[in-house]
């Protein structure tokens, strides 16, 4: 399993939100380029960046920053937030970004997302599904976790047979450092073996990475635990690899 250290961006600052709540923001660093350089020093090969302003506005806000960071860093960057059109995705993929994450757009316009998968290829796109587990069933939320879609994770995945990369966030765990939802991640990994699962939400310590690795997840997205120095990037990478 690979560790992807994460940076959430608001106004160019590195921040973290608790459970996606913009009123529960903590700023950690004003220099995302320096943060990425720190990830490189720790041995990271990839990183995960989110334009939170764009996710909230449902249009690009910091995509220029994505491009600047991608062009300057040796890391493979996976970026998310505010993507609504084919041209917006193409812009960053042609300018150094490795993979684009699509979330709400896939639910709002499944035909467009399917066309993107065909045009850019399934290795260049990640489908992000943010879920709330209700009565044991993962239900998908949209638009920065503000709206319930009324659809299950399984139902959404059936719409996109080309998907190869899937990022699943358990909303109840995100930013809480309370441990990942291992049962959810293992269930998804076992039932969709052709998909490379990225697990997000809840990692608070190195033991949590050991737990996630055992679920079959291929990548772990970790933000707050790194920013709050629960463990270093190097330590996280070593535990994720096993």
């Amino acid at each position: 399993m690979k560790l992807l250290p994460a940076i959430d961006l608001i106004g160019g600052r590195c921040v973290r939100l608790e459970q996606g709540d913009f009123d529960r923001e903590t700023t950690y660093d004003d220099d995302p380029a320096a943060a990425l350089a720190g990830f490189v020093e720790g041995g990271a090969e990839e990183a995960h960046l989110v334009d939170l302003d764009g996710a909230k506005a449902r249009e690009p806000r910091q995509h220029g920053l994505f491009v600047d960071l991608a062009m300057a860093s040796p890391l493979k960057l996976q970026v998310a937030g505010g993507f609504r059109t084919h041209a917006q995705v193409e812009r960053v993929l042609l300018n150094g970004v490795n993979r684009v994450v699509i979330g709400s757009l896939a639910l709002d316009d499944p035909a467009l997302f399917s066309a993107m998968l065909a045009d850019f290829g399934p290795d260049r796109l990640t489908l992000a599904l943010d879920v709330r587990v209700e009565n044991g069933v993962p239900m998908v939320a949209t638009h920065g976790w503000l709206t319930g879609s009324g659809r299950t994770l399984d139902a959404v995945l059936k719409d996109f047979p080309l998907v190869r990369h899937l990022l699943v966030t358990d909303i109840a765990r995100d930013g809480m450092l309370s441990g990942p939802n291992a049962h959810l991640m293992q269930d998804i990994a076992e039932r969709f073996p052709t998909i490379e699962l990225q697990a997000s939400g809840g990692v608070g310590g190195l033991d949590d990475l050991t737990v996630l690795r055992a679920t079959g997840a291929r990548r772990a997205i970790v933000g707050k635990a790194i920013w709050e120095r629960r463990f270093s990037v190097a330590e996280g990478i070593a535990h994720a690899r096993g």
Side-chain angles (χ1 to χ4, degrees), residues 161-186:
L162 291 180
V163 163
R164 187 171 299 160
H165 298 274
L166 173 67
L167 193 167
V168 175
T169 300
D170 182 342
I171 294 170
R173 310 269 179 142
D174 189 74
M176 304 305 291
L177 303 173
S178 58
N181 189 334
H183 175 75
L184 171 66
M185 300 306 170
Q186 183 170 352

mmCIF file of all heavy atoms in Angstrom, residues 161-186:
data_model
loop_
_atom_site.group_PDB
_atom_site.id
_atom_site.type_symbol
_atom_site.label_atom_id
_atom_site.label_comp_id
_atom_site.label_asym_id
_atom_site.label_seq_id
_atom_site.Cartn_x
_atom_site.Cartn_y
_atom_site.Cartn_z
ATOM 1 N N PRO A 161 -18.175 1.302 -15.363
ATOM 2 C CA PRO A 161 -17.364 0.082 -15.406
ATOM 3 C C PRO A 161 -15.902 0.321 -15.757
ATOM 4 O O PRO A 161 -15.063 -0.558 -15.510
ATOM 5 C CB PRO A 161 -18.057 -0.761 -16.487
ATOM 6 C CG PRO A 161 -18.815 0.224 -17.320
ATOM 7 C CD PRO A 161 -19.255 1.294 -16.367
ATOM 8 N N LEU A 162 -15.568 1.487 -16.331
ATOM 9 C CA LEU A 162 -14.179 1.770 -16.695
ATOM 10 C C LEU A 162 -13.338 2.258 -15.515
ATOM 11 O O LEU A 162 -12.112 2.334 -15.630
ATOM 12 C CB LEU A 162 -14.119 2.821 -17.809
ATOM 13 C CG LEU A 162 -14.606 2.404 -19.193
ATOM 14 C CD1 LEU A 162 -14.474 3.572 -20.168
ATOM 15 C CD2 LEU A 162 -13.844 1.194 -19.707
ATOM 16 N N VAL A 163 -13.969 2.589 -14.411
ATOM 17 C CA VAL A 163 -13.224 3.150 -13.283
ATOM 18 C C VAL A 163 -12.170 2.168 -12.783
ATOM 19 O O VAL A 163 -12.468 0.989 -12.529
ATOM 20 C CB VAL A 163 -14.173 3.535 -12.135
ATOM 21 C CG1 VAL A 163 -13.399 3.731 -10.828
ATOM 22 C CG2 VAL A 163 -14.915 4.810 -12.465
ATOM 23 N N ARG A 164 -10.942 2.655 -12.654
ATOM 24 C CA ARG A 164 -9.838 1.852 -12.129
ATOM 25 C C ARG A 164 -9.356 2.360 -10.776
ATOM 26 O O ARG A 164 -8.844 1.597 -9.966
ATOM 27 C CB ARG A 164 -8.677 1.853 -13.117
ATOM 28 C CG ARG A 164 -7.530 0.917 -12.756
ATOM 29 C CD ARG A 164 -6.537 0.815 -13.902
ATOM 30 N NE ARG A 164 -7.180 0.284 -15.095
ATOM 31 C CZ ARG A 164 -6.703 0.420 -16.329
ATOM 32 N NH1 ARG A 164 -5.586 1.100 -16.530
ATOM 33 N NH2 ARG A 164 -7.330 -0.099 -17.360
ATOM 34 N N HIS A 165 -9.517 3.664 -10.544
ATOM 35 C CA HIS A 165 -9.075 4.260 -9.279
ATOM 36 C C HIS A 165 -10.290 4.826 -8.541
ATOM 37 O O HIS A 165 -11.027 5.643 -9.098
ATOM 38 C CB HIS A 165 -8.048 5.366 -9.538
ATOM 39 C CG HIS A 165 -6.803 4.883 -10.194
ATOM 40 N ND1 HIS A 165 -5.736 4.367 -9.492
ATOM 41 C CD2 HIS A 165 -6.456 4.810 -11.508
ATOM 42 C CE1 HIS A 165 -4.781 4.014 -10.334
ATOM 43 N NE2 HIS A 165 -5.188 4.274 -11.563
ATOM 44 N N LEU A 166 -10.467 4.392 -7.292
ATOM 45 C CA LEU A 166 -11.617 4.801 -6.486
ATOM 46 C C LEU A 166 -11.134 5.295 -5.133
ATOM 47 O O LEU A 166 -10.422 4.580 -4.420
ATOM 48 C CB LEU A 166 -12.566 3.622 -6.293
ATOM 49 C CG LEU A 166 -13.736 3.840 -5.320
ATOM 50 C CD1 LEU A 166 -14.718 4.865 -5.875
ATOM 51 C CD2 LEU A 166 -14.446 2.518 -5.027
ATOM 52 N N LEU A 167 -11.504 6.523 -4.800
ATOM 53 C CA LEU A 167 -11.171 7.105 -3.504
ATOM 54 C C LEU A 167 -12.440 7.144 -2.659
ATOM 55 O O LEU A 167 -13.419 7.783 -3.039
ATOM 56 C CB LEU A 167 -10.603 8.516 -3.690
ATOM 57 C CG LEU A 167 -9.901 9.194 -2.502
ATOM 58 C CD1 LEU A 167 -9.137 10.422 -2.991
ATOM 59 C CD2 LEU A 167 -10.867 9.613 -1.406
ATOM 60 N N VAL A 168 -12.410 6.454 -1.536
ATOM 61 C CA VAL A 168 -13.571 6.406 -0.650
ATOM 62 C C VAL A 168 -13.222 7.072 0.677
ATOM 63 O O VAL A 168 -12.240 6.708 1.330
ATOM 64 C CB VAL A 168 -14.040 4.956 -0.407
ATOM 65 C CG1 VAL A 168 -15.166 4.928 0.623
ATOM 66 C CG2 VAL A 168 -14.497 4.313 -1.712
ATOM 67 N N THR A 169 -14.035 8.050 1.049
ATOM 68 C CA THR A 169 -13.874 8.740 2.329
ATOM 69 C C THR A 169 -15.088 8.463 3.201
ATOM 70 O O THR A 169 -16.226 8.668 2.776
ATOM 71 C CB THR A 169 -13.752 10.265 2.124
ATOM 72 O OG1 THR A 169 -12.622 10.545 1.300
ATOM 73 C CG2 THR A 169 -13.582 10.980 3.460
ATOM 74 N N ASP A 170 -14.839 7.973 4.395
ATOM 75 C CA ASP A 170 -15.901 7.848 5.391
ATOM 76 C C ASP A 170 -16.013 9.197 6.082
ATOM 77 O O ASP A 170 -15.138 9.593 6.864
ATOM 78 C CB ASP A 170 -15.558 6.745 6.391
ATOM 79 C CG ASP A 170 -16.657 6.525 7.424
ATOM 80 O OD1 ASP A 170 -17.519 7.419 7.595
ATOM 81 O OD2 ASP A 170 -16.657 5.477 8.081
ATOM 82 N N ILE A 171 -17.075 9.922 5.789
ATOM 83 C CA ILE A 171 -17.239 11.284 6.280
ATOM 84 C C ILE A 171 -17.166 11.351 7.804
ATOM 85 O O ILE A 171 -16.588 12.288 8.372
ATOM 86 C CB ILE A 171 -18.582 11.863 5.784
ATOM 87 C CG1 ILE A 171 -18.556 12.015 4.263
ATOM 88 C CG2 ILE A 171 -18.879 13.198 6.445
ATOM 89 C CD1 ILE A 171 -19.908 12.349 3.668
ATOM 90 N N ALA A 172 -17.718 10.360 8.479
ATOM 91 C CA ALA A 172 -17.750 10.384 9.938
ATOM 92 C C ALA A 172 -16.361 10.298 10.553
ATOM 93 O O ALA A 172 -16.146 10.716 11.690
ATOM 94 C CB ALA A 172 -18.608 9.231 10.459
ATOM 95 N N ARG A 173 -15.400 9.804 9.774
ATOM 96 C CA ARG A 173 -14.043 9.625 10.309
ATOM 97 C C ARG A 173 -13.090 10.742 9.902
ATOM 98 O O ARG A 173 -12.050 10.914 10.533
ATOM 99 C CB ARG A 173 -13.463 8.299 9.798
ATOM 100 C CG ARG A 173 -14.377 7.093 9.975
ATOM 101 C CD ARG A 173 -14.151 6.403 11.279
ATOM 102 N NE ARG A 173 -15.036 5.262 11.454
ATOM 103 C CZ ARG A 173 -14.677 4.120 12.034
ATOM 104 N NH1 ARG A 173 -13.436 3.988 12.491
ATOM 105 N NH2 ARG A 173 -15.534 3.136 12.177
ATOM 106 N N ASP A 174 -13.428 11.483 8.847
ATOM 107 C CA ASP A 174 -12.464 12.411 8.260
ATOM 108 C C ASP A 174 -12.085 13.518 9.237
ATOM 109 O O ASP A 174 -12.944 14.189 9.809
ATOM 110 C CB ASP A 174 -13.033 13.035 6.979
ATOM 111 C CG ASP A 174 -11.980 13.820 6.231
ATOM 112 O OD1 ASP A 174 -11.116 13.186 5.615
ATOM 113 O OD2 ASP A 174 -12.013 15.052 6.289
ATOM 114 N N GLY A 175 -10.771 13.694 9.397
ATOM 115 C CA GLY A 175 -10.264 14.754 10.252
ATOM 116 C C GLY A 175 -10.430 14.514 11.733
ATOM 117 O O GLY A 175 -10.116 15.382 12.542
ATOM 118 N N MET A 176 -10.885 13.313 12.109
ATOM 119 C CA MET A 176 -11.165 13.049 13.515
ATOM 120 C C MET A 176 -10.070 12.235 14.209
ATOM 121 O O MET A 176 -10.072 12.102 15.429
ATOM 122 C CB MET A 176 -12.505 12.308 13.642
ATOM 123 C CG MET A 176 -13.684 13.038 12.995
ATOM 124 S SD MET A 176 -13.895 14.731 13.592
ATOM 125 C CE MET A 176 -14.433 14.420 15.262
ATOM 126 N N LEU A 177 -9.141 11.655 13.421
ATOM 127 C CA LEU A 177 -8.035 10.865 13.964
ATOM 128 C C LEU A 177 -8.527 9.702 14.815
ATOM 129 O O LEU A 177 -7.839 9.254 15.743
ATOM 130 C CB LEU A 177 -7.093 11.759 14.801
ATOM 131 C CG LEU A 177 -6.478 12.970 14.091
ATOM 132 C CD1 LEU A 177 -5.717 13.832 15.091
ATOM 133 C CD2 LEU A 177 -5.549 12.528 12.972
ATOM 134 N N SER A 178 -9.705 9.188 14.488
ATOM 135 C CA SER A 178 -10.345 8.165 15.322
ATOM 136 C C SER A 178 -10.169 6.758 14.782
ATOM 137 O O SER A 178 -10.750 5.809 15.304
ATOM 138 C CB SER A 178 -11.843 8.475 15.440
ATOM 139 O OG SER A 178 -12.452 8.532 14.153
ATOM 140 N N GLY A 179 -9.365 6.609 13.743
ATOM 141 C CA GLY A 179 -9.166 5.303 13.137
ATOM 142 C C GLY A 179 -10.009 5.154 11.885
ATOM 143 O O GLY A 179 -11.104 5.706 11.785
ATOM 144 N N PRO A 180 -9.497 4.409 10.892
ATOM 145 C CA PRO A 180 -10.231 4.238 9.640
ATOM 146 C C PRO A 180 -11.366 3.241 9.775
ATOM 147 O O PRO A 180 -11.420 2.456 10.730
ATOM 148 C CB PRO A 180 -9.153 3.697 8.690
ATOM 149 C CG PRO A 180 -8.238 2.925 9.594
ATOM 150 C CD PRO A 180 -8.201 3.701 10.898
ATOM 151 N N ASN A 181 -12.270 3.286 8.824
ATOM 152 C CA ASN A 181 -13.358 2.307 8.778
ATOM 153 C C ASN A 181 -12.847 1.092 8.005
ATOM 154 O O ASN A 181 -13.072 0.959 6.808
ATOM 155 C CB ASN A 181 -14.588 2.909 8.109
ATOM 156 C CG ASN A 181 -15.808 2.006 8.233
ATOM 157 O OD1 ASN A 181 -15.688 0.801 8.360
ATOM 158 N ND2 ASN A 181 -16.989 2.610 8.189
ATOM 159 N N ALA A 182 -12.150 0.222 8.706
ATOM 160 C CA ALA A 182 -11.508 -0.925 8.059
ATOM 161 C C ALA A 182 -12.536 -1.873 7.452
ATOM 162 O O ALA A 182 -12.305 -2.441 6.377
ATOM 163 C CB ALA A 182 -10.629 -1.660 9.068
ATOM 164 N N HIS A 183 -13.653 -2.057 8.134
ATOM 165 C CA HIS A 183 -14.680 -2.964 7.608
ATOM 166 C C HIS A 183 -15.185 -2.487 6.249
ATOM 167 O O HIS A 183 -15.320 -3.280 5.309
ATOM 168 C CB HIS A 183 -15.843 -3.061 8.592
ATOM 169 C CG HIS A 183 -16.986 -3.879 8.082
ATOM 170 N ND1 HIS A 183 -16.968 -5.256 8.022
ATOM 171 C CD2 HIS A 183 -18.198 -3.502 7.570
ATOM 172 C CE1 HIS A 183 -18.103 -5.700 7.504
ATOM 173 N NE2 HIS A 183 -18.859 -4.660 7.220
ATOM 174 N N LEU A 184 -15.445 -1.182 6.131
ATOM 175 C CA LEU A 184 -15.923 -0.622 4.872
ATOM 176 C C LEU A 184 -14.890 -0.806 3.775
ATOM 177 O O LEU A 184 -15.216 -1.250 2.659
ATOM 178 C CB LEU A 184 -16.228 0.872 5.057
ATOM 179 C CG LEU A 184 -16.542 1.663 3.785
ATOM 180 C CD1 LEU A 184 -17.848 1.185 3.155
ATOM 181 C CD2 LEU A 184 -16.611 3.165 4.093
ATOM 182 N N MET A 185 -13.629 -0.475 4.064
ATOM 183 C CA MET A 185 -12.590 -0.560 3.036
ATOM 184 C C MET A 185 -12.345 -1.997 2.603
ATOM 185 O O MET A 185 -12.175 -2.277 1.406
ATOM 186 C CB MET A 185 -11.294 0.075 3.550
ATOM 187 C CG MET A 185 -11.430 1.546 3.931
ATOM 188 S SD MET A 185 -12.120 2.597 2.587
ATOM 189 C CE MET A 185 -12.416 4.127 3.479
ATOM 190 N N GLN A 186 -12.340 -2.922 3.545
ATOM 191 C CA GLN A 186 -12.118 -4.321 3.179
ATOM 192 C C GLN A 186 -13.267 -4.858 2.340
ATOM 193 O O GLN A 186 -13.048 -5.592 1.363
ATOM 194 C CB GLN A 186 -11.944 -5.174 4.435
ATOM 195 C CG GLN A 186 -11.646 -6.633 4.116
ATOM 196 C CD GLN A 186 -11.237 -7.427 5.339
ATOM 197 O OE1 GLN A 186 -11.020 -6.867 6.426
ATOM 198 N NE2 GLN A 186 -11.101 -8.733 5.189
#
